[in-house]
């Protein structure tokens, strides 16, 4: 009976302690975008080539993956191509015009 009471006390003591789960802190450092005209033009070329090779409408994430660039860089390139009239929106995806 004594052992049973001791185990109950240990269990209650364990429950009463607030244990915080340990979480790993990830600090992701984004490299700043190079907003030079030359770089944005290169990203537009990457986006254009990705769309041309796939020959279908792609989302921004899909374009970035195929082109091997970040989503932000894909958006920069898309802005350039939209301005030139080289791409258009089709069912919430991007396709060559």
């Amino acid at each position: 009976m004594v052992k049973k009471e001791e185990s109950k006390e240990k269990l209650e003591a364990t429950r009463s302690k607030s244990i915080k789960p340990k979480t790993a802190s990830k600090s992701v450092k984004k490299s700043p975008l190079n907003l030079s005209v030359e770089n944005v033009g290169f990203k537009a070329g990457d986006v254009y080539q990705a769309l041309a090779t796939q020959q279908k409408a792609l989302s921004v994430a899909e374009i970035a993956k195929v082109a091997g660039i970040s989503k932000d860089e894909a958006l920069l390139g898309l802005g350039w191509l939209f301005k030139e009239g080289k791409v258009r929106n089709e069912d919430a995806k991007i396709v060559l015009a």
Side-chain angles (χ1 to χ4, degrees):
M1 193 81 157
V2 175
K3 287 185 181 181
K4 197 173 189 180
E5 287 177 11
E6 286 177 8
S7 63
K8 281 185 183 180
E9 288 174 5
K10 287 181 182 180
L11 181 62
E12 287 176 15
T14 304
R15 286 184 186 166
S16 66
K17 292 180 183 177
S18 63
I19 301 172
K20 292 185 179 181
K22 292 184 179 180
T23 56
S25 61
K26 296 179 182 177
S27 73
V28 177
K29 292 184 179 180
K30 283 188 168 182
S31 60
L33 288 175
N34 180 354
L35 296 177
S36 69
V37 172
E38 183 179 22
N39 187 52
V40 176
F42 284 134
K43 298 310 171 193
D46 293 341
V47 170
Y48 190 91
Q49 289 300 317
L51 289 167
T53 57
Q54 295 297 308
Q55 297 180 349
K56 64 180 182 178
L58 299 173
S59 69
V60 174
E62 292 169 332
I63 292 169
K65 184 177 179 181
V66 171
I69 58 178
S70 71
K71 287 182 187 179
D72 290 339
E73 291 170 328
L75 289 170
L76 280 174
L78 282 169
W80 181 292
L81 294 172
F82 270 118
K83 178 80 172 157
E84 291 184 344
K86 306 267 175 142
V87 293
R88 61 185 166 84
N89 187 11
E90 186 177 282
D91 299 326
K93 293 194 174 187
I94 311 300
V95 67
L96 291 176

